[in-house]
Amino acid sequence: QVQLVESGGGSVQAGGSLRLSCRTPSTYSMGWFRQVTGKEREFVAAIRWNGGTWYADSAKGRFIISRDNRDNTVYLQMYNLKPEDTAVYYCAADQFGDLIPTTPAEYKYWGQGTQVTVSL
């Protein structure tokens, strides 16, 4: 059983930054998703076990996903946050080889979620 432990959410003003962390096995690919109450969970960014990355259009140019396999941690650095980024952010992990899935159903393991709130 793979357990994912997230940290780093919080409240910031628009234009601010936050960094989310998720501990995950180094051999797993990992994605970040977010969800607003009443809406579907949406893809934000993903990183392959070997470092390849993929971003949603909403994240490109503002978010950076990275991983440090020495301590089994994946990061989502978020810059220039906007009120529309407000959501519960979830990390998810699974073993995909060379794929970088972008749909929630493709991931087997999930973190508990961390709230990100961006105010004007």
Side-chain angles (χ1 to χ4, degrees):
Q1 183 73 13
V2 175
Q3 291 187 326
L4 306 182
V5 181
E6 301 166 3
S7 61
S11 298
V12 295
Q13 290 189 320
S17 301
L18 281 174
R19 189 177 76 164
L20 307 182
S21 302
C22 180
R23 292 186 60 84
T24 186
S26 61
T27 57
Y28 281 58
S29 295
M30 214 281 283
W32 284 100
F33 293 79
R34 65 188 183 187
Q35 189 169 24
V36 176
T37 302
K39 295 188 176 181
E40 292 187 352
R41 194 165 296 189
E42 67 173 6
F43 172 74
V44 176
I47 187 165
R48 264 194 324 232
W49 64 273
N50 61 0
T53 59
W54 191 255
Y55 295 92
D57 288 343
S58 60
K60 289 178 182 177
R62 298 190 300 126
F63 295 1
I64 299 172
I65 188 170
S66 62
R67 69 188 306 153
D68 184 345
N69 286 339
R70 293 169 300 177
D71 63 0
N72 292 339
T73 302
V74 174
Y75 301 98
L76 184 68
Q77 177 68 56
M78 303 184 291
Y79 297 102
N80 190 22
L81 282 161
K82 304 175 182 180
E84 52 264 42
D85 295 318
T86 296
V88 177
Y89 283 69
Y90 297 89
C91 64
D94 211 327
Q95 291 179 303
F96 298 113
D98 291 335
L99 298 176
I100 305 183
T102 61
T103 56
E106 296 179 273
Y107 288 82
K108 183 176 182 179
Y109 303 105
W110 289 85
Q112 77 283 2
T114 186
Q115 177 70 45
V116 171
T117 302
V118 185
S119 58
L120 289 172

